Amino acid sequence: MHAGIGGTDSTYGVFRFDEHVLAKGKVDLLFLEFAVNDAGNKRSSIRAMEGIVRKAKRHNPRIAIIMMYFATEGQLPELRKGLTPANQRHHDAVAHHYGIPVVNLSRRVFELVDSGGAVFADLFRDTVHPNRAGNEWYARWIKSYLDVHFPSILDGMFSGDTELPDPLLADNWEYAALLADEAIVPAGEGWVQRSDYSAERGCNWTPPARVWESLTVGEELTVTFWGRSLLLGLLVGPDCGELEVLVDGGEWKRTALWDVYCDKFDRPKFVSLDDELPPGEHRATLRISGTSHPESSGHAIRILHAGADARS
């Protein structure tokens, strides 16, 4: 089963992991890669990657997990100096703590390139996405790893300790999940729940999408949830607006959604609305702000789903 969504990070991954992976049936072997798309924030990366690992091991204590690090051209200067890119260091910490093997494909790519065995541009469509030749090299390296190590992986699946160690971070996202549809309630008629949303230029999702959509400044909706963190999954693009958020009657806080990709296409994005809440039930009010990025053509908000970290 392939559950990857291009262009998304481990935070998005951990919140959708239950629904998009574990709900599909028992998982015995999990390949895990977010080293390219994680944004370099150490705490967020570890919270999410550790959360995925702990979810997987609670689902199946005998699961075999293999982390992979894909390549980007921007890693070349660090790798040539013998350095490890930040995202890989953060993921290494989780892998080491849980005894998870790592297949470092990025290092393999640059060893191949620097040895004269290939040119980066002949392996990739751009600075990050492999073409057919690049994918063939990836497959070859993964197969060679499994040829050597799969017997020991199998041995670990059927023997050894299945007890989870203490977490690296006590506030990791082991209990993060998407909320049920009923958690999102529009406050007015300005919101429409669409099952047919499409876009002229989309990336990393397949239309049509099911979204709560509003194009009107001032429109509000509420999200009720249990936990310590609230995150929102949206489709953002050339006409996206900004949100104002009020949690439990506190102060309104503005959340900007625009980034360097918004003027190119619509794509999924997961944003943190509040990350330091006391445990318990909370109510968040979301309002479309009267401001938006100068390059945006509108104030549109399109919500795919909300997620919460249900730690007690």
Side-chain angles (χ1 to χ4, degrees), residues 186-255:
E189 297 180 356
W191 291 94
V192 177
Q193 191 169 36
R194 299 182 54 179
S195 59
D196 62 347
Y197 178 72
S198 186
E200 183 178 345
R201 293 177 296 166
C203 184
N204 299 327
W205 61 286
T206 302
R210 184 169 177 267
V211 296
W212 277 107
E213 179 187 63
S214 180
L215 312 178
T216 308
V217 169
E219 285 295 327
E220 297 183 1
L221 57 73
T222 61
V223 182
T224 303
F225 63 100
W226 177 278
R228 299 187 179 189
S229 304
L230 175 64
L231 287 91
L232 202 64
L234 308 104
L235 285 177
V236 297
D239 64 346
C240 78
E242 297 183 348
L243 281 172
E244 296 168 351
V245 183
L246 177 73
V247 179
D248 298 335
E251 297 182 356
W252 287 97
K253 298 179 181 179
R254 187 165 60 89
T255 298

